[in-house]
Amino acid sequence: MTERRRFRMSSTVFIVLRQGDMFCSLRRVATGWMDGHFSIPAGAVEEGESLLAAALREAQEEVGVVIEVADLRHAHTLHCRTRGEGWVGHFFVAERWQGTPMLGEPEKHSDLHWTSFQALPEPFVPYVRNALLGIAAGETYSEYGYNTHFLRLLRPELG
């Protein structure tokens, strides 16, 4: 019997620090990827790390806040393809945390401000924009960068 080999895909966590209709956004700089675009606190899941642990770590690293596990709610999963590779994004929402959000990694972010779901600043990382709009609409799954022909059959509004 041959060993079963599974396809492996990297995961990224995204943290939506939410206050009513507003959330914390960051402008990317000097990263080599989407510099100048707005996004939200996020980062790769490290080897041996759970999604929740990664989200808590990234929130503290990027914006200096401490979130309790009980205050994180999984809100959206994004299956994304960028730079020719597929990966999965897990979006968590927190409405409570300790500390005041600040630029925790000023070498990667030049601006932190509160943004409305109805008035996202430009330019915004496109796949993060799509996921945030999905979260605002109550959608728990989206895809970006894949052929979505089959989705258009189910949801014609996707165009």
Side-chain angles (χ1 to χ4, degrees):
M1 182 175 200
T2 61
E3 181 181 340
R4 183 176 180 185
R5 301 190 78 177
R6 296 182 185 264
F7 174 71
R8 296 186 187 261
M9 187 176 290
S10 67
S11 290
T12 299
V13 292
F14 295 83
I15 302 90
V16 181
L17 296 179
R18 186 172 187 169
Q19 292 183 329
D21 187 44
M22 305 293 280
F23 65 91
C24 180
S25 65
L26 304 167
R27 185 188 299 266
R28 300 176 55 83
V29 295
T31 66
W33 177 252
M34 298 274 182
D35 290 336
H37 286 68
F38 286 91
S39 191
I40 59 176
V45 178
E46 296 177 358
E47 179 74 31
E49 188 174 45
S50 75
L51 296 174
L52 288 172
L56 297 174
R57 176 182 53 75
E58 288 293 345
Q60 188 161 18
E61 287 176 4
E62 293 204 357
V63 290
V65 299
V66 175
I67 303 172
E68 298 294 326
V69 172
D71 292 326
L72 273 181
R73 174 181 58 84
H74 180 263
H76 194 84
T77 298
L78 166 69
H79 191 192
C80 193
R81 187 166 185 82
T82 54
R83 296 183 177 175
E85 295 183 18
W87 53 275
V88 179
H90 306 275
F91 287 73
F92 292 91
V93 173
E95 295 179 345
R96 294 188 326 178
W97 54 85
Q98 298 170 14
T100 301
M102 57 152 195
L103 292 177
E105 296 176 324
E107 70 281 6
K108 295 180 181 178
H109 304 110
S110 66
D111 186 27
L112 179 150
H113 71 273
W114 292 92
T115 303
S116 166
F117 283 92
Q118 284 74 40
L120 297 176
E122 290 291 341
F124 212 96
V125 174
Y127 50 85
V128 177
R129 171 188 292 280
N130 289 359
L132 289 171
L133 294 175
I135 291 169
E139 297 175 359
T140 59
Y141 177 80
S142 64
E143 293 181 356
Y144 183 89
Y146 287 94
N147 180 350
T148 57
H149 173 71
F150 73 95
L151 287 176
R152 283 189 218 107
L153 296 174
L154 297 173
R155 300 207 24 226
E157 69 273 15
L158 292 176

